[in-house]
Amino acid sequence: MYDAAVVGGGIVGSSVAYHLAREGAETVLVDREDEGRATDAGAGILSPATSSRTGSDPWFEFAVEAVDYYPDLVAALADEQDGETGYEQCGLLSVAVDDAEVEAFDRAKERIERRQEALGRPDPDSFAEVDPGEARERFPPLADVERAAYYEEAARVDGKLLTAALRRAGEAHGLDVRRASAEQFRVEDGEITAVETDEGTIETAAAVVAGGAWSPAFGDQLGVELPVEPQRGQIAHLDLGAEAGGTDARVDAATTGADAATDGPDTGDWPIVSAFREHYLVSWPDGRVAAGATRETGSGFAPRTTAAGVREVLDEALRVAPGLGDAELAEVRVGLRPVSADRLPILGAVPDVEGAFVATGHGATGLQLGPYSGKLVADAVRGEEPETDVSAFAVSRFE
């Protein structure tokens, strides 16, 4: 019999399972590897200090703690497994591409300055307005923008790599990973006793719902409402190979320090770029720039690309960074984000069912919040008091 069974193997579920196993709990991770899992498609921007979310201080404070936890987690994973984690501090540029965005740029600066005064984040020395020319030096394909600001502490994470690292480290601590479909939670006398899967019954003293957009399927079984809907996000990945790198003077060897004629630009040091239409550009060390993302509500469980979605992300990418025009469209990733009714995560114990827990509803911020959410839920499963107050994210708020 297991101490805990975690249902769902994305970044959140894998984090819960890893943290349980690391603390010595006999844990099984049940994952059916759904197509369209948000973890596999997310851009991985880690920058709550520059987030446009202004209506929820609990979210912001939690996001700051979640991103602060990343260096500790990455250091632990470096000792416990032998693969890459996909995490790196890279900085972020906020840009007003044209006059129409200057007002939004000023509002964003004011918001960040208010946060600095009230909450101490971001560090005043880490955020400053920069000359548009400096912004273009940092991100060579950038348009001739009107205004720009740079936040040096922003980071990025590859969700696939981090999830794989969590699993490898978890397995080193005894985690059992099974590819199976969880069909039902068995509840007897108000307590979790087992998880029924298509591969058999798993007896367990606790179970965690971490199924992302698919989590509501277990709500009725546990007597709670889990108001989570899938929101489709399409992200285009552009390959700035040798040909793409050599066609624009801003993306050549002189600018990037790379041999553009043979290897393409050195994109590993390029920052994240965020304008003011809820899209972004995230660069990776392999000459790849991810451009995203759509936010398609009512999409259902249909992780497919659409002509309109691809056009949306490419049009915005080229508006912000026309120097990407000759890049190859390498792939389009599609993820179904688990968006809760109030856009906040759903974390913690299920009322009236001993041993039942939930970790879902992170929406577009799963990679930002997920590893820390997993740690806190794992603490709760083990009967430990979470180090952070997550009462604002309780399951019971929807009753």
Side-chain angles (χ1 to χ4, degrees):
M1 182 172 179
Y2 289 94
D3 296 320
V6 181
V7 176
I11 189 71
V12 179
S14 293
S15 177
V16 175
Y18 159 73
H19 284 95
L20 283 167
R22 188 175 75 177
E23 295 300 324
E26 293 291 333
T27 307
V28 58
L29 176 64
V30 181
D31 183 20
R32 67 185 182 195
E33 300 182 9
D34 289 304
E35 181 183 0
R37 181 160 56 196
T39 295
D40 298 339
I45 298 171
L46 309 178
S47 185
T50 61
S51 170
S52 61
R53 294 187 65 158
T54 58
S56 175
D57 281 346
W59 180 91
F60 177 73
E61 293 168 7
F62 183 71
V64 168
E65 293 189 29
V67 171
D68 283 350
Y69 178 60
Y70 256 96
D72 290 340
L73 174 62
V74 169
L77 293 175
D79 291 335
E80 296 169 356
Q81 56 84 52
D82 59 3
E84 295 293 326
T85 62
Y87 169 84
E88 187 170 357
Q89 186 171 311
C90 60
L92 181 146
L93 280 171
S94 295
V95 298
V97 178
D98 52 35
D99 289 338
E101 292 182 339
V102 169
E103 183 178 349
F105 179 90
D106 286 335
R107 287 198 304 269
K109 274 193 66 181
E110 292 171 2
R111 180 182 67 245
I112 290 170
E113 289 166 358
R114 288 196 302 271
R115 284 175 175 169
Q116 287 176 330
E117 293 177 3
L119 302 169
R121 295 296 184 91
D123 187 308
D125 294 332
S126 68
F127 178 84
E129 187 162 357
V130 297
D131 181 86
E134 180 183 337
R136 197 159 51 247
E137 289 177 1
R138 291 184 180 277
F139 193 90
L142 193 65
D144 294 321
V145 300
E146 293 295 321
R147 302 275 293 281
Y150 181 66
Y151 175 52
E152 67 179 9
E153 295 183 356
R156 64 182 178 232
V157 66
D158 184 313
K160 288 184 176 180
L161 289 179
L162 184 62
T163 298
L166 287 166
R167 289 198 186 188
R168 284 192 299 268
E171 289 174 318
H173 290 294
L175 174 66
D176 182 7
V177 179
R178 300 189 189 182
R179 182 171 184 178
S181 175
E183 307 292 344
Q184 186 173 357
F185 288 1
R186 184 193 297 168
V187 180
E188 299 177 1
D189 297 325
E191 298 181 359
I192 290 288
T193 61
V195 175
E196 307 283 355
T197 80
D198 61 350
E199 298 292 331
T201 299
I202 299 174
E203 294 185 349
T204 180
V208 181
V209 179
W214 292 266
S215 296
F218 298 100
D220 288 344
Q221 298 176 25
L222 299 175
V224 294
E225 183 181 4
L226 299 177
V228 173
E229 296 288 340
Q231 180 195 71
R232 184 166 60 201
Q234 300 182 55
I235 302 179
H237 285 250
L238 308 177
D239 182 4
L240 277 69
E243 292 185 6
T247 57
D248 192 300
R250 294 175 182 166
V251 193
D252 61 12
T255 305
T256 65
D259 183 357
T262 57
D263 298 324
D266 180 9
T267 56
D269 293 331
W270 291 4
I272 300 160
V273 176
S274 176
F276 291 91
R277 296 184 183 178
E278 295 190 340
H279 287 64
Y280 49 76
L281 298 167
V282 182
S283 302
W284 298 91
D286 56 1
R288 175 169 49 98
V289 175
T294 63
R295 296 173 183 262
E296 303 170 62
T297 56
S299 61
F301 292 92
R304 63 185 183 88
T305 59
T306 66
V310 174
R311 181 179 67 178
E312 176 185 328
V313 295
L314 292 181
D315 281 353
E316 177 63 4
L318 296 179
R319 183 186 77 90
V320 174
L324 297 174
D326 274 339
E328 178 185 354
L329 179 58
E331 65 173 321
V332 180
R333 297 183 185 178
V334 185
L336 301 175
R337 307 180 185 99
V339 179
S340 74
D342 59 6
R343 299 183 66 223
L344 297 177
I346 307 173
L347 304 175
V350 173
D352 302 323
V353 181
E354 184 70 25
F357 298 84
V358 175
T360 189
H362 293 78
T365 58
L367 295 182
Q368 188 164 223
L369 308 181
Y372 192 56
S373 293
K375 178 186 185 302
L376 297 183
V377 171
D379 289 344
V381 173
R382 295 188 303 107
E384 299 290 331
E385 187 70 25
E387 60 193 52
T388 296
D389 181 11
V390 293
S391 59
F393 312 131
V395 181
S396 58
R397 73 183 189 270
F398 298 112
E399 292 182 351

